[in-house]
Amino acid sequence: MCINVLQDNDNRLFPKCYHMLKVPCGLVSNGLFHQTWNMFLFVSRSTDYGSTYTKLNDKVGSRTVLSYLYVCPTNKQKIMMLSDPEVESAVLISSDEGASFEKYPINFNILSLLFHPAQENWILAYSHDSKLYSSMDFGKKWQLVHDNVMPGRFYWAVMGLDRESDVVHIETRIAKGRAQYVKCRAQRCTEGNRQYLFPGHVDTNSLVVQDEYVFTQVCVVIHYLIKLNQSSSFFHTKADMHIISTDEKQVFAAVQEWNQNNTYSLYISDSPGVYFTLSLENLRTSRGPAGNLLVDFYKVEGINGMYLANKLVDNHIKTFITYNKGQTWALLPAPATDVAGNNLHCILPFCSLHLHLEMSENPYTSGPITSKKSVPGIIVATGNIGTELSSTNLGMFITSDAGNSWRQIFDEEHNIWFLDNGGALLAVLHAATPIRHLWISLDEGKKWDRHSFSLAPLYVDGVLMEPESDNHIITFFGHFSHRSEWQLIKIDYKGLFSRRCMDGDYQTWHLHNKGELCVMGEKQIYMKRRPGNRCMLAQDYSRIYSSEPCLCTAYDFECDYGWERQADGKCSPAFWFNPNGAAKSCSTSQSFLNSTGYRKVLSNNCKEGGRNVYSPKRQPCQPRPPQGLKLSTSQGELSATVGSNVTFMIYLDNLDFGDGIKITYSNLSRTDDGIKHIYRTTGIYRVTVTAENNQGSDSSTLFLHITSPVEGKEANLTAMVWPSHTRTLTFYWWFDNSSEPIITLEGSISYTFHREGKNKVTVQVASGGTVIQDSKVITVKEFFRSLLLSFSPALDEHNPDIPEWREDIGRVVSGVPEDQLLVSLYPGLPTTAELFILPDEHTSSEHKRNTEEALETISDIFVTALNQGLIQFELKTDIRIIVYMTQQTLAPLVDSNSIHSGSAMLMLLTVVFVGLCAFFIYKFKRCVKLSEFPTPKELMEKELEARSRGISPPHLLLLLLLLLYY
């Protein structure tokens, strides 16, 4: 309906009437419903920005209940709506901007969608049960890509980076706190076609694919692959890392270091994104509603190299600004007067302006800070004046000269939007009560005109507008009361302007940093409309009037990797860095560029004089032998089955597979997809890679165990239900990925496992209308030995029997070789544990007898050392803990003759297992790489060698355990 607004004491905003429409939980954008967060009861469509609507019930089905709507980002004509999963699972597809729809049923419930950045018909869908599906025809047909996918950790291929545009990057959960990075084709993501570019496990929720970078995070090292130049890098840190930005082929990363709790440090990489330098310490951080990390760091739109950040200084949060991409930071100057014109007397550095920099959770409000590329130099933000950032006494502040000076425009918090391509400002009070007024300024916030936009006060939930367009329509949406229907109020503010802007309506202004005209290596002059001129800005008018490069100074350069800025502004080597020992690349020429300690700030356009004192100097190469050669399998596994394709990831020159086949490469530093090889017979193979030049050589070796599938043997499983039920219980047993359960009326079952390794067992118990479920991961082994361990009483005095302590053991060391030495910690006090000694998986079936004898030998060594009290460690200063052997046990887990027959199978619940190394290392609060631990095979070899030299086994064992400790 059309509501004519009566003239009152407010200014009359428009000569036209307002259009107030009752809308059921929908939002309008580009003339269409754009997004919803509640169910539709009916659907309407508008093609005139909300003036008129046509109901779509007949087109989508009168009984269809919808939950979400998506618009294809590369083709606005294509729209997908999701039905409410509680009613039906279906998608409704339109190819004509909602004029007509087709419904397609699906067999899963969609939680979120990800559209391809270039292909309009390609979509990834994430389901409520953590499965990822793909569609190549805009949702008509779907195919499963992968299960156990982490929410939000799936990405389409990076255009111009991945070879195939249908590649997807996925993080999959494999255990608590552990995940795996998988790369595959969207419609061909079978096990044989998957790539594991990072061998081993990664931390959950750590995969980020952005621009040319793929980031993953592990316990000790944050590892990322830069596929563009086929290189890989390591960012060494103990703690957490979050990617802020990868613009302009440069990485901004927030890193929580070992000495930080609630703050992070800002690191900035070089142009390839390989080496990082510290820019700002102790950034303020917080957690969002979903637990995601929020860093108080803001990039100012329209001004190159300008950022704002909130930093902790002497227990106070203060706002800092940089004009040279983080090389120097300064406090913000406060306004001279408040909004009423009273003098503030706020003097730097004791008092300054502080701004809230977090992003808005509602995409239809402006958030506490806003800037726009089309109006460079203007920033509007919520903040306060004083010694630190506060959540009280908030006001609104604006700068028109890129942060050099500020003015207060409101003494209450408002939402601010840019209108007319940035030529006007719209302000709406941020309040929990309904409002009916808005404020508009045409002179950069110096003067504000109040207008009435609704006869009745409205709870404003957001504002809709088309960015970067020539229309002058904004739409308020909200409700009159908490029980009323949604309302849309459409406003055409074109009446504020009388004409289009001409050349005489513009003026110029100089970008500067506290009077210094050279910013990011150049003098820049911008154009803007003269404040107060009531003319409409052209969408394509140029904002930059002129730009002239400056001569370089030291602050146009940042300190290179390993160098630190000193008080005099010069860069000197850090105490830990040896500039003469840095690795030099001479693969393509006889000289290299050696750093002078400086590297030019990326996007800085200064020009150097005749001496070029800061740029790298070319020096002749010094011949050196190859070093750091590495060899691993693509999945980090050291075993495979006969006939399977094993992929080796290497830096190589010559590769010997160990089975009589060799390959020689020349001038090859790294292979992208690895080297694939098929082994035809079982056994243990020594795989060696070598690299050499006229200065020397380097090599790397691993032992690969090729096995055949094991024969299965029955094992008994029991499900306990508490409290006991008198009614009939039905048990549904699911083994691994079986599509049909085994149904029993008893709580126990005998089942044959046909392979060694981890097997998932899920049991569902139904009683009447109640169903409960539990799952366990079971590890199957053919033969083993075990020892029962106890500890000195002092251990329990300092480590109370609480679940968190036991969880910490498994969490601190997540890479213990569970297939060789396992420890099961039993609940209760005193602390007891059972040590399991498992056979080396790198041993072929032909050497099975020798393996059994090796287990006996290793067990004897442990028994002797435990009985003599040789295994002990220091818990705290002057407190030593001795590990004892309580008794040796086989039953009831295995047959009494298992060691001799080799036919028994050990069922180990992996949820309670941690390595023996983990138990001891936890006491010293260390996080140690897996490669530092000797395997049982190495233990046996060293013991046999020691016996041949006359060294007693207990002494050797003590030596090996000391290696574990230190």
Side-chain angles (χ1 to χ4, degrees):
M1 59 182 173
C2 180
I3 301 176
N4 289 316
V5 179
L6 300 177
Q7 181 73 34
D8 55 15
N9 293 331
D10 300 322
N11 293 324
R12 180 70 179 276
L13 184 57
F14 311 113
K16 301 180 180 179
C17 64
Y18 300 146
H19 295 276
M20 185 172 296
L21 306 118
K22 296 182 179 180
V23 180
C25 305
L27 306 182
V28 174
S29 178
N30 298 327
L32 290 170
F33 290 100
H34 176 65
Q35 182 180 0
T36 66
W37 44 76
N38 292 306
M39 295 185 297
F40 284 93
L41 299 179
F42 60 87
V43 181
S44 298
R45 176 175 181 262
S46 173
T47 58
D48 54 7
Y49 295 95
S51 295
T52 59
Y53 283 86
T54 303
K55 288 188 178 181
L56 300 180
N57 292 52
D58 296 336
K59 295 186 172 88
V60 302
S62 58
R63 296 187 177 182
T64 300
V65 181
L66 303 176
S67 58
Y68 291 95
L69 181 148
Y70 295 86
V71 179
C72 177
T74 55
N75 184 354
K76 302 299 183 182
Q77 297 287 323
K78 292 193 172 183
I79 300 171
M80 177 178 293
M81 292 193 294
L82 308 181
S83 65
D84 177 22
E86 295 185 2
V87 179
E88 62 176 339
S89 292
V91 296
L92 292 93
I93 299 172
S94 173
S95 298
D96 51 13
E97 207 173 10
S100 62
F101 283 89
E102 294 179 277
K103 181 186 287 187
Y104 294 89
I106 57 177
N107 58 1
F108 61 97
N109 297 332
I110 296 177
L111 187 61
S112 63
L113 294 180
L114 180 65
F115 292 86
H116 194 278
Q119 300 291 335
E120 62 184 49
N121 291 327
W122 294 5
I123 309 174
L124 294 177
Y126 185 74
S127 69
H128 285 76
D129 55 354
S130 302
K131 294 182 179 179
L132 186 66
Y133 297 83
S134 65
S135 174
M136 300 306 199
D137 53 9
F138 204 75
K140 297 177 181 178
K141 297 188 296 293
W142 296 90
Q143 180 174 318
L144 178 65
V145 180
H146 209 295
D147 54 8
N148 294 322
V149 177
M150 296 296 297
R153 301 296 171 175
F154 49 91
Y155 307 85
W156 278 110
V158 179
M159 303 307 297
L161 180 60
D162 289 304
R163 294 178 179 177
E164 297 86 10
S165 56
D166 63 341
V167 165
V168 289
H169 303 265
I170 310 169
E171 180 185 309
T172 63
R173 184 194 299 273
I174 58 177
K176 183 178 180 180
R178 297 165 66 184
Q180 199 162 33
Y181 165 41
V182 182
K183 177 181 175 183
C184 61
R185 307 282 290 275
Q187 298 277 303
R188 290 184 287 173
C189 197
T190 59
E191 183 61 40
N193 294 325
R194 294 170 185 166
Q195 298 181 42
Y196 302 87
L197 300 183
F198 180 76
H201 307 130
V202 301
D203 291 351
T204 56
N205 292 314
S206 68
L207 177 66
V208 176
V209 179
Q210 196 166 306
D211 295 331
E212 291 111 8
Y213 306 95
V214 178
F215 297 89
T216 58
Q217 180 171 307
V218 295
C219 174
V220 185
V221 180
I222 294 175
H223 177 94
Y224 60 93
L225 308 173
I226 309 173
K227 298 297 292 177
L228 187 63
N229 55 11
Q230 305 298 321
S231 67
S232 66
S233 298
F234 293 88
F235 188 102
H236 291 271
T237 177
K238 176 183 177 291
D240 199 18
M241 177 178 183
H242 290 263
I243 306 305
I244 298 178
S245 168
T246 55
D247 295 343
E248 301 174 326
K249 298 182 181 180
Q250 186 174 33
V251 181
F252 283 68
V255 178
Q256 187 177 50
E257 302 185 72
W258 67 271
N259 59 337
Q260 294 175 315
N261 292 322
N262 299 320
T263 62
Y264 280 65
S265 294
L266 176 67
Y267 281 85
I268 303 178
S269 76
D270 57 358
S271 56
V274 177
Y275 296 103
F276 287 76
T277 55
L278 178 64
S279 173
L280 190 66
E281 292 183 296
N282 295 324
L283 281 174
R284 176 179 182 250
T285 61
S286 58
R287 291 287 174 179
N292 53 308
L293 183 73
L294 303 177
V295 182
D296 275 20
F297 182 79
Y298 181 78
K299 178 182 179 181
V300 178
E301 298 294 331
I303 303 294
N304 183 31
M306 183 176 175
Y307 297 87
L308 293 164
N310 284 329
K311 175 184 177 180
L312 180 66
V313 181
D314 297 329
N315 295 321
H316 295 296
I317 300 296
K318 299 176 181 289
T319 301
F320 289 79
I321 188 171
T322 179
Y323 294 89
N324 52 12
K325 257 192 178 178
Q327 295 315 295
T328 55
W329 295 85
L331 293 168
L332 291 181
T337 61
D338 61 14
V339 68
N342 302 314
N343 291 329
L344 292 175
H345 305 290
C346 183
I347 307 300
L348 290 172
F350 311 103
C351 175
S352 60
L353 174 64
H354 310 288
L355 306 178
H356 288 271
L357 306 178
E358 60 268 17
M359 301 295 293
S360 172
E361 298 175 8
N362 183 351
Y364 304 102
T365 59
S366 64
I369 184 169
T370 181
S371 60
K372 196 174 181 67
K373 186 177 182 181
S374 60
V375 280
I378 296 181
I379 310 169
V380 187
T382 304
N384 65 281
I385 298 171
T387 58
E388 64 176 337
L389 182 68
S390 173
S391 297
T392 60
N393 300 322
L394 295 177
M396 301 301 300
F397 300 87
I398 189 171
T399 177
S400 300
D401 56 3
N404 286 281
S405 63
W406 293 80
R407 290 178 285 109
Q408 186 174 4
I409 54 177
F410 295 106
D411 57 5
E412 293 181 280
E413 190 174 0
H414 284 65
N415 286 305
I416 306 291
W417 291 270
F418 288 97
L419 305 179
D420 185 42
N421 297 309
L425 293 173
L426 167 67
V428 177
L429 180 65
H430 182 79
T433 57
I435 59 175
R436 56 189 295 264
H437 298 105
L438 57 82
W439 302 82
I440 287 184
S441 174
L442 299 177
D443 57 1
E444 299 175 354
K446 295 181 177 68
K447 179 183 177 183
W448 293 87
D449 296 326
R450 188 176 75 162
H451 302 275
S452 184
F453 68 88
S454 175
L455 286 177
L458 181 76
Y459 289 95
V460 176
D461 293 304
V463 174
L464 303 171
M465 62 183 68
E466 269 191 284
E468 311 301 334
S469 67
D470 280 332
N471 78 74
H472 294 78
I473 295 174
I474 57 176
T475 305
F476 284 78
F477 68 91
H479 48 279
F480 291 129
S481 69
H482 293 296
R483 294 187 177 182
S484 68
E485 296 175 309
W486 285 58
Q487 310 294 326
L488 291 181
I489 300 179
K490 171 188 169 184
I491 300 174
D492 188 342
Y493 63 90
K494 191 174 182 179
L496 292 173
F497 309 102
S498 58
R499 57 184 174 81
R500 290 277 183 181
C501 292
M502 309 295 289
D503 290 343
D505 293 311
Y506 296 98
Q507 68 181 27
T508 60
W509 67 279
H510 294 256
L511 175 65
H512 65 94
N513 175 10
K514 298 179 181 62
E516 172 57 52
L517 296 179
C518 289
V519 177
M520 289 293 287
E522 57 185 336
K523 297 179 181 179
Q524 302 173 68
I525 302 177
Y526 290 87
M527 288 182 58
K528 64 179 179 180
R529 190 184 62 188
R530 294 183 184 276
N533 282 11
R534 291 181 174 268
C535 61
M536 290 179 288
L537 292 176
Q539 183 178 359
D540 56 351
Y541 89 92
S542 176
R543 272 71 178 175
I544 299 180
Y545 180 75
S546 67
S547 177
E548 178 185 350
C550 304
L551 289 177
C552 292
T553 66
Y555 286 99
D556 292 310
F557 292 80
E558 59 191 0
C559 293
D560 207 345
Y561 174 77
W563 299 70
E564 296 177 339
R565 183 85 65 181
Q566 304 302 316
D568 59 359
K570 296 182 179 179
C571 294
S572 299
F575 73 93
W576 51 267
F577 182 71
N578 179 13
N580 297 323
K584 311 301 180 185
S585 175
C586 294
S587 57
T588 58
S589 64
Q590 298 302 314
S591 62
F592 70 97
L593 290 174
N594 193 19
S595 174
T596 60
Y598 300 85
R599 65 187 186 199
K600 183 182 285 190
V601 174
L602 197 64
S603 301
N604 187 295
N605 294 316
C606 73
K607 61 179 182 180
E608 290 198 69
R611 295 180 58 191
N612 293 339
V613 294
Y614 302 109
S615 295
K617 308 299 181 183
R618 184 162 293 280
Q619 295 182 4
C621 289
Q622 298 295 327
R624 57 192 308 171
Q627 60 183 5
L629 197 63
K630 299 175 183 177
L631 171 64
S632 67
T633 59
S634 59
Q635 301 184 37
E637 302 291 341
L638 297 180
S639 64
T641 57
V642 171
S644 64
N645 213 336
V646 182
T647 302
F648 295 94
M649 307 302 296
I650 46 181
Y651 295 90
L652 75 161
D653 188 9
N654 302 304
L655 178 60
D656 182 355
F657 293 109
D659 57 353
I661 301 176
K662 296 182 179 181
I663 300 178
T664 300
Y665 292 85
S666 299
N667 298 324
L668 185 61
S669 61
R670 181 178 171 84
T671 58
D672 182 18
D673 298 325
I675 304 298
K676 293 179 171 58
H677 186 68
I678 298 177
Y679 291 87
R680 302 299 181 184
T681 60
T682 61
I684 297 179
Y685 294 90
R686 179 188 179 99
V687 183
T688 304
V689 57
T690 62
E692 61 181 15
N693 60 12
N694 56 3
Q695 298 295 315
S697 63
D698 192 14
S699 64
S700 181
T701 301
L702 63 79
F703 290 89
L704 188 68
H705 187 194
I706 303 300
T707 62
S708 296
V710 299
E711 296 182 359
K713 181 181 178 180
E714 248 183 25
N716 295 324
L717 303 173
T718 302
M720 301 294 294
V721 180
W722 185 263
S724 60
H725 291 262
T726 57
R727 301 177 60 182
T728 302
L729 299 178
T730 306
F731 296 82
Y732 299 85
W733 302 85
W734 304 80
F735 295 90
D736 284 334
N737 297 321
S738 59
S739 58
E740 296 291 337
I742 300 175
I743 304 175
T744 66
L745 297 178
E746 300 293 335
S748 61
I749 188 175
S750 295
Y751 183 78
T752 301
F753 293 91
H754 296 282
R755 62 182 179 87
E756 282 193 300
K758 294 179 174 60
N759 299 269
K760 184 177 181 180
V761 179
T762 301
V763 59
Q764 295 176 333
V765 184
S767 175
T770 303
V771 178
I772 58 177
Q773 174 179 311
D774 194 14
S775 297
K776 294 296 182 184
V777 177
I778 295 176
T779 299
V780 178
K781 294 293 181 182
E782 285 194 76
F783 48 88
F784 68 97
R785 298 288 291 182
S786 69
L787 301 172
L788 197 62
L789 306 178
S790 58
F791 306 88
S792 299
L795 176 64
D796 296 323
E797 296 174 8
H798 295 86
N799 291 286
D801 184 35
I802 57 176
E804 290 78 9
W805 175 68
R806 300 181 185 279
E807 292 177 0
D808 283 345
I809 298 176
R811 184 162 55 242
V812 171
V813 179
S814 58
V816 174
E818 296 182 352
D819 56 347
Q820 298 174 8
L821 289 178
L822 300 179
V823 170
S824 173
L825 294 174
Y826 295 115
L829 297 176
T831 302
T832 56
E834 188 163 6
L835 167 66
F836 296 96
I837 306 170
L838 307 183
D840 186 2
E841 290 187 353
H842 305 159
T843 304
S844 63
S845 57
E846 292 88 345
H847 300 87
K848 181 177 179 180
R849 183 69 181 180
N850 294 335
T851 302
E852 296 176 8
E853 295 176 355
L855 287 184
E856 289 281 4
T857 302
I858 297 173
S859 178
D860 291 342
I861 295 174
F862 273 102
V863 169
T864 303
L866 290 167
N867 288 336
Q868 296 182 7
L870 297 178
I871 301 180
Q872 53 183 278
F873 59 92
E874 186 175 277
L875 180 65
K876 297 175 66 175
T877 305
D878 298 330
I879 299 177
R880 300 196 65 81
I881 304 299
I882 301 176
V883 185
Y884 304 94
M885 187 190 75
T886 305
Q887 66 181 37
Q888 188 170 346
T889 177
L890 291 174
L893 294 178
V894 298
D895 298 339
S896 59
N897 61 347
S898 62
I899 291 299
H900 301 289
S901 67
S903 62
M905 303 174 64
L906 170 62
M907 314 292 290
L908 301 178
L909 300 183
T910 60
V911 294
V912 298
F913 291 160
V914 295
L916 180 63
C917 312
F919 181 83
F920 293 131
I921 293 171
Y922 169 76
K923 307 303 174 184
F924 299 97
K925 294 292 185 182
R926 290 193 177 178
C927 188
V928 184
K929 294 180 181 178
L930 173 60
S931 60
E932 298 176 4
F933 300 123
T935 64
K937 180 180 178 181
E938 294 171 337
L939 187 70
M940 180 190 69
E941 292 176 347
K942 291 181 179 297
E943 189 267 89
L944 294 176
E945 179 184 356
R947 288 193 174 186
S948 65
R949 297 182 179 181
I951 303 176
S952 64
H955 294 157
L956 174 61
L957 176 64
L958 182 59
L959 174 62
L960 294 176
L961 290 174
L962 287 174
L963 290 176
L964 294 180
Y965 301 158
Y966 299 102

